[in-house]
Amino acid sequence: MQTYIVAFTVALAAAYFITPHIKDLAIKAGAMDAPDARKVHTIPIPRMGGLAIYFGFVLAVLSSMHISHEILGLLLGGTVILAVGIIDDLRQLPAKVKLLGQIAAAAVLIMFDIRIEWLTNPFGDMIYVEYLSIPLTVLWVVSLTNTVNLIDGLDGLAAGVSTIASITILLVALEQDFWTVAILTAALAGSALGFLQHNFNPAKIFMGDTGSMFLGYMLAAVSVLGTVKSAATIALVVPIVALGLPIMDTAFAIIRRYMSGRPIFKPDKGHLHHRLLALGLSQKQAVLLMYVISGCLGVSAIALTEVSKVSGALILLLIITAAFFGAKKIGVLKNNDGVLKDSDSVKSH
């Protein structure tokens, strides 16, 4: 049996069977997501389910691959971001403190020489980023960590989108013979999918920031690890397109707030999942629609690795055009409602 299949299976089973125990732990620790007027659920739901995703991933990695210097750095960095998420789920950290924690987790990767050192120039040779390597790596990791965190607004949404993105990167890694990346993404997909069984609507547990930040961080870190052995265009563009849904949702939020004169980091309720619910879709319908969109973006990401640069550019242009048209159509770019208070979250849970 291929090692990546072992990793996927171990992660899937571990996350699935550990999640009920994490649910009990979250209840005892008081990590509960209480309902209010703007949230979808009507009873308190335990969060911090990301612990199950973490344990599933780590067990899969330990049982299926050699722990090299880089893999050790990956696991340590993931543990740091997990700790930040746990504290946030228990105490609700201020945004600035959470950002510092994300930067610290990104710094762990850099300490273990996991960094973006060069990019592919579509019109010529490689571009070595040199002294920009560290800030570029930090920006990349923190950005992807937050995009997955922000999309965690409906039951099963972040877990499902992360599973689709992980499988997309896995398929590209297999095609390119990047076995380390393949095993890591298989483990990540398995752990997210195992947790999803308990998180799909009606959710018995939420992953919380513990899970959403861990998933975003690991997708970013594995992609950076892939730049060591591949064209950086493939290693970085594929996850960008695969995670196009949360990335574009975050970008539209920034545009929407800027155009309405609001602080960019001030939460609102104009995200894609909010608009789909406002249009009359149920939670399940909205989530399944967003799965389909993520699946289409995943197929597009895989296609980018098989076509010419010109065709790839056309695919990207088509995706961006379709995204802006769709966003305008459903009102994601409009100022739909009031700004949430500082204590509020953009999440719909």
Side-chain angles (χ1 to χ4, degrees), residues 58-143:
V58 172
L59 286 173
V61 170
L62 293 178
S63 64
S64 59
M65 64 191 306
H66 170 68
I67 306 303
S68 64
H69 179 74
E70 291 177 332
I71 299 302
L72 178 60
L74 200 75
L75 294 177
L76 288 176
T79 303
V80 172
I81 200 68
L82 180 88
V84 175
I86 290 173
I87 297 171
D88 188 55
D89 283 339
L90 290 172
R91 299 178 179 273
Q92 292 293 297
L93 291 173
K96 291 181 180 179
V97 175
K98 190 157 59 173
L99 177 60
L100 287 175
Q102 294 169 354
I103 293 173
V108 173
L109 297 178
I110 294 168
M111 290 170 58
F112 282 81
D113 297 321
I114 303 173
R115 63 182 73 181
I116 301 170
E117 296 183 337
W118 57 279
L119 300 172
T120 302
N121 181 357
F123 306 103
D125 297 328
M126 297 179 295
I127 302 174
Y128 289 91
V129 294
E130 298 178 351
Y131 58 89
L132 293 176
S133 175
I134 291 177
L136 185 60
T137 302
V138 171
L139 177 63
W140 168 261
V141 173
V142 170
S143 297

Side-chain angles (χ1 to χ4, degrees), residues 241 248 300 304 309-325:
V241 177
M248 288 186 287
S300 299
L304 287 174
K309 292 177 181 178
V310 174
S311 298
L314 290 175
I315 290 174
L316 290 174
L317 181 61
L318 180 62
I319 291 172
I320 294 171
T321 302
F324 271 95
F325 177 80

Side-chain angles (χ1 to χ4, degrees), residues 14-32:
Y16 178 80
F17 289 111
I18 291 173
T19 298
H21 300 287
I22 298 300
K23 177 184 175 182
D24 294 338
L25 176 64
I27 293 173
K28 292 179 181 178
M32 303 294 291

Side-chain angles (χ1 to χ4, degrees), residues 3-344:
T3 307
Y4 68 89
I5 298 178
V6 174
F8 177 85
T9 305
V10 170
L12 177 69
Y16 178 80
F17 289 111
I18 291 173
T19 298
H21 300 287
I22 298 300
K23 177 184 175 182
D24 294 338
L25 176 64
I27 293 173
K28 292 179 181 178
M32 303 294 291
D33 197 318
D36 59 31
R38 67 178 180 81
K39 292 182 179 179
V40 176
H41 63 286
T42 56
I43 59 174
I45 302 291
R47 54 192 176 201
M48 209 164 69
L51 269 171
I53 297 174
Y54 170 81
F55 285 126
F57 175 81
V58 172
L59 286 173
V61 170
L62 293 178
S63 64
S64 59
M65 64 191 306
H66 170 68
I67 306 303
S68 64
H69 179 74
E70 291 177 332
I71 299 302
L72 178 60
L74 200 75
L75 294 177
L76 288 176
T79 303
V80 172
I81 200 68
L82 180 88
V84 175
I86 290 173
I87 297 171
D88 188 55
D89 283 339
L90 290 172
R91 299 178 179 273
Q92 292 293 297
L93 291 173
K96 291 181 180 179
V97 175
K98 190 157 59 173
L99 177 60
L100 287 175
Q102 294 169 354
I103 293 173
V108 173
L109 297 178
I110 294 168
M111 290 170 58
F112 282 81
D113 297 321
I114 303 173
R115 63 182 73 181
I116 301 170
E117 296 183 337
W118 57 279
L119 300 172
T120 302
N121 181 357
F123 306 103
D125 297 328
M126 297 179 295
I127 302 174
Y128 289 91
V129 294
E130 298 178 351
Y131 58 89
L132 293 176
S133 175
I134 291 177
L136 185 60
T137 302
V138 171
L139 177 63
W140 168 261
V141 173
V142 170
S143 297
L144 255 66
T145 298
N146 281 299
T147 54
V148 176
N149 185 34
L150 286 173
I151 204 174
D152 182 28
L154 297 177
D155 295 354
L157 182 54
V161 170
S162 296
T163 299
I164 294 169
S166 298
I167 291 174
T168 299
I169 300 172
L170 165 63
L171 293 174
V172 173
L174 291 175
E175 178 66 25
Q176 303 289 335
D177 290 330
F178 304 146
W179 293 104
T180 299
V181 173
I183 295 170
L184 290 170
T185 48
L188 201 61
S191 58
L193 188 60
F195 174 76
L196 182 59
Q197 312 306 309
H198 303 275
N199 182 236
F200 195 73
N201 184 261
K204 302 177 184 67
I205 183 172
F206 297 152
M207 69 170 63
D209 282 4
T210 304
S212 58
M213 289 202 300
F214 176 75
L215 287 170
Y217 177 89
M218 293 310 302
L219 284 167
V222 170
S223 301
V224 174
L225 191 62
T227 64
V228 176
K229 297 181 179 179
S230 70
T233 299
I234 294 175
L236 301 184
V237 171
V238 167
I240 287 175
V241 177
L243 287 169
L245 188 65
I247 288 174
M248 288 186 287
D249 191 41
T250 301
F252 291 146
I254 293 173
I255 294 171
R256 179 176 64 249
R257 294 163 192 171
Y258 177 79
M259 291 177 64
S260 62
R262 296 176 174 180
I264 289 176
F265 297 104
K266 194 78 168 179
D268 61 23
K269 298 176 72 173
H271 287 274
L272 176 58
H273 53 273
H274 292 126
R275 298 306 306 147
L276 292 176
L277 293 177
L279 290 173
L281 272 66
S282 67
Q283 271 210 68
K284 285 184 179 178
Q285 290 171 333
V287 169
L288 290 174
L289 175 59
M290 294 174 81
Y291 284 177
V292 171
I293 295 172
S294 292
C296 292
L297 289 170
V299 171
S300 299
I302 294 171
L304 287 174
T305 67
E306 302 292 335
V307 300
S308 66
K309 292 177 181 178
V310 174
S311 298
L314 290 175
I315 290 174
L316 290 174
L317 181 61
L318 180 62
I319 291 172
I320 294 171
T321 302
F324 271 95
F325 177 80
K328 185 177 180 181
K329 191 73 174 177
I330 67 173
V332 171
L333 292 172
K334 292 181 180 179
N335 179 12
N336 296 297
D337 52 30
V339 178
L340 301 181
K341 296 181 293 183
D342 287 333
S343 59
D344 286 338

